[in-house]
Amino acid sequence: MNDYAQRNRKPTRLWVSLGVVVALHVLLLWAISSGLATKFVKIAKAPVQAMLLEEIQPVLPPPPPPPVQPPPKTLPPPPAYVPPAVVPVNTPPPVNAIAAVSSKPQPEAPPAPAPVVAAPPSPPAPVARTAAVISAANCEKPEYPSASRRFEEEGTVTLKFLVGADGKVKESAVEKSSGFKRLDEAARQGLAKCQFKPGTENGHAVEGWAGIKYTWKLE
């Protein structure tokens, strides 16, 4: 029974829907024929057009004023030409050149003096110098080193002594070795104790160097 009732309800709904659609179409056709739809469209479009016209119209700014031109500059008139004043100059009369020449003979100029030739300077007087020497009478013989005797060392050493004006030795040094340091030092120390005769310059005692050679030889 239920299936049969549902089958009977479906055709009824279908016919109702078709009737509603047909009624709407009839009303639409009637509205178009009577002009009601055209009035509705005009009323709906009017405010839209008015709004668009108001937005499109631009607001133009007022035109700028014309530029003000400065008045033309007027140049000052040139100064009037004033001619220079002419001042007369009193010129002396010309001098007769012939009258200015004297007929008297002019005196001759005195002769130039002869140049004075200076005499050449005299050469300096020669300086007489003498070297310092050892005083053998006041000098003891240096002692032979015992080690040099044992090793039989011999040789000649050259020494130099700085002798003062008083004849005493101020400084001593080995100028040339004998080949053995012990012999060199023994000779330097022994001879430095000796008295020397100082060197002289023009007869006056002066400080100077004296050279001595001392030979070591075993007897």
Side-chain angles (χ1 to χ4, degrees), residues 4-17:
Y4 180 78
Q6 290 179 358
R7 290 176 183 176
N8 291 330
R9 290 176 183 176
K10 287 182 179 182
T12 304
R13 292 179 179 178
L14 181 58
W15 286 108
V16 172
S17 298

Side-chain angles (χ1 to χ4, degrees), residues 94-102:
V95 179
N96 190 358
I98 299 176
V101 178
S102 176

Side-chain angles (χ1 to χ4, degrees), residues 175-196:
E175 191 172 7
K176 186 178 180 181
S177 176
S178 64
F180 302 99
K181 189 174 182 180
R182 281 188 295 266
L183 296 179
D184 298 342
E185 286 299 317
R188 187 185 65 81
Q189 293 179 8
L191 296 177
K193 298 176 183 178
C194 299
Q195 183 69 25
F196 284 76

Side-chain angles (χ1 to χ4, degrees), residues 2-219:
N2 292 332
D3 294 337
Y4 180 78
Q6 290 179 358
R7 290 176 183 176
N8 291 330
R9 290 176 183 176
K10 287 182 179 182
T12 304
R13 292 179 179 178
L14 181 58
W15 286 108
V16 172
S17 298
L18 289 175
V20 172
V21 171
V22 172
L24 290 175
H25 279 79
V26 172
L27 288 175
L28 182 58
L29 292 173
W30 174 79
I32 291 172
S33 62
S34 62
L36 182 63
T38 304
K39 292 181 180 180
F40 179 76
V41 172
K42 288 182 180 180
I43 293 171
K45 287 183 179 181
V48 176
Q49 291 178 357
M51 187 181 295
L52 291 174
L53 290 175
E54 289 179 0
E55 292 181 358
I56 290 172
Q57 291 179 358
V59 178
L60 298 177
V68 178
Q69 296 181 357
K73 295 182 179 180
T74 57
L75 298 176
Y81 175 74
V82 178
V86 179
V87 179
V89 179
N90 296 326
T91 57
V95 179
N96 190 358
I98 299 176
V101 178
S102 176
S103 61
K104 294 181 179 180
Q106 298 294 329
E108 297 182 358
V116 178
V117 178
S122 57
V127 179
R129 292 189 179 92
T130 59
V133 293
I134 192 170
S135 298
N138 300 324
C139 184
E140 295 183 0
K141 189 178 180 179
E143 184 178 358
Y144 216 112
S146 58
S148 297
R149 285 182 179 275
R150 187 167 56 253
F151 293 108
E152 298 182 353
E153 296 175 352
E154 294 180 347
T156 301
V157 57
T158 303
L159 304 170
K160 61 179 182 179
F161 299 92
L162 179 61
V163 181
D166 55 355
K168 294 181 179 180
V169 176
K170 293 184 175 182
E171 188 178 344
S172 62
V174 177
E175 191 172 7
K176 186 178 180 181
S177 176
S178 64
F180 302 99
K181 189 174 182 180
R182 281 188 295 266
L183 296 179
D184 298 342
E185 286 299 317
R188 187 185 65 81
Q189 293 179 8
L191 296 177
K193 298 176 183 178
C194 299
Q195 183 69 25
F196 284 76
K197 183 180 179 180
T200 60
E201 185 174 326
N202 292 334
H204 300 283
V206 293
E207 182 181 288
W209 287 91
I212 298 175
K213 287 184 178 181
Y214 188 81
T215 302
W216 296 94
K217 188 174 179 60
L218 293 172
E219 296 178 356

